[in-house]
């Protein structure tokens, strides 16, 4: 194990600590936000930013240790950049579907003739069942 110069130690430490602090702030924001749709977006963005800071710290550390570009940390960041938006889209679509079924005031579906629109129209909202 090679000892890093002081500037590299400081840079790696700042990046990792900044990433951890950003992720912690994002985690606390979950308690402040009230609705599901508020909770889905903001913490995902913050967690991704925190992950990127930690990734830059690890790439810098292992690149300086091995005297070559250590790209394995970048693969994690690329994987997160691809999967987090897709996961959020599925979570938000599911949340909208459930909110429509519950009779909440949410935007109407854009694809009213698709399978989701047919399924949502076939299920009676919960608030209508309570009235009748």
């Amino acid at each position: 194990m090679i000892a890093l110069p002081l500037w590299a130690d400081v840079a790696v430490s700042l990046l990792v600590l900044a990433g951890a602090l950003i992720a912690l702030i994002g985690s606390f924001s979950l308690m402040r936000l009230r609705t599901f749709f508020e909770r889905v977006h903001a913490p995902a963005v913050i967690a991704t930013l925190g992950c990127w800071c930690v990734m830059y710290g690890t790439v810098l550390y292992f690149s300086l240790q091995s005297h070559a570009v250590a790209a394995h940390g970048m693969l994690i960041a690329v994987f997160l950049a691809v999967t987090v938006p897709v996961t959020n889209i599925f979570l938000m679509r599911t949340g909208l579907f459930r909110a429509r079924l519950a009779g909440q005031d949410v935007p109407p579906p854009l694809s009213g003739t698709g399978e989701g629109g047919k399924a949502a129209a076939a299920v009676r909202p919960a608030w209508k069942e309570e009235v009748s």
Side-chain angles (χ1 to χ4, degrees), residues 7 18 20-22 33 35 47 50 53 56 58 63 73 81 85 87 94-95 117 131:
W7 66 268
L21 183 65
I22 290 169
L33 301 174
T35 67
C53 285
Y56 282 124
T58 57
S63 295
T87 304
T94 303
V131 173

Side-chain angles (χ1 to χ4, degrees), residues 87-104:
T87 304
N88 277 338
I89 288 171
F90 283 127
L91 284 173
M92 285 189 266
R93 287 183 67 125
T94 303
L96 274 174
F97 184 76
R98 291 182 60 139
R100 286 185 190 119
L101 289 180
Q104 296 175 357

Side-chain angles (χ1 to χ4, degrees), residues 13-111:
S13 299
L14 287 177
L15 284 169
V16 171
L17 287 175
L21 183 65
I22 290 169
L24 182 67
I25 291 170
S27 299
F28 283 130
S29 70
L30 283 174
M31 292 186 290
R32 294 194 50 143
L33 301 174
R34 290 177 291 175
T35 67
F36 168 77
F37 298 107
E38 290 173 340
R39 289 179 184 155
V40 162
H41 181 67
V45 172
I46 293 294
T48 303
L49 179 63
C51 175
W52 279 78
C53 285
V54 171
M55 183 272 304
Y56 282 124
T58 57
V59 167
L60 182 63
Y61 177 79
F62 287 112
S63 295
L64 290 173
Q65 283 285 330
S66 65
H67 299 289
V69 176
H72 59 277
M74 292 180 198
L75 291 175
I76 297 170
V78 168
F79 181 71
L80 280 175
V82 171
T83 58
V84 167
V86 172
T87 304
N88 277 338
I89 288 171
F90 283 127
L91 284 173
M92 285 189 266
R93 287 183 67 125
T94 303
L96 274 174
F97 184 76
R98 291 182 60 139
R100 286 185 190 119
L101 289 180
Q104 296 175 357
D105 186 25
V106 292
L110 295 176
S111 59

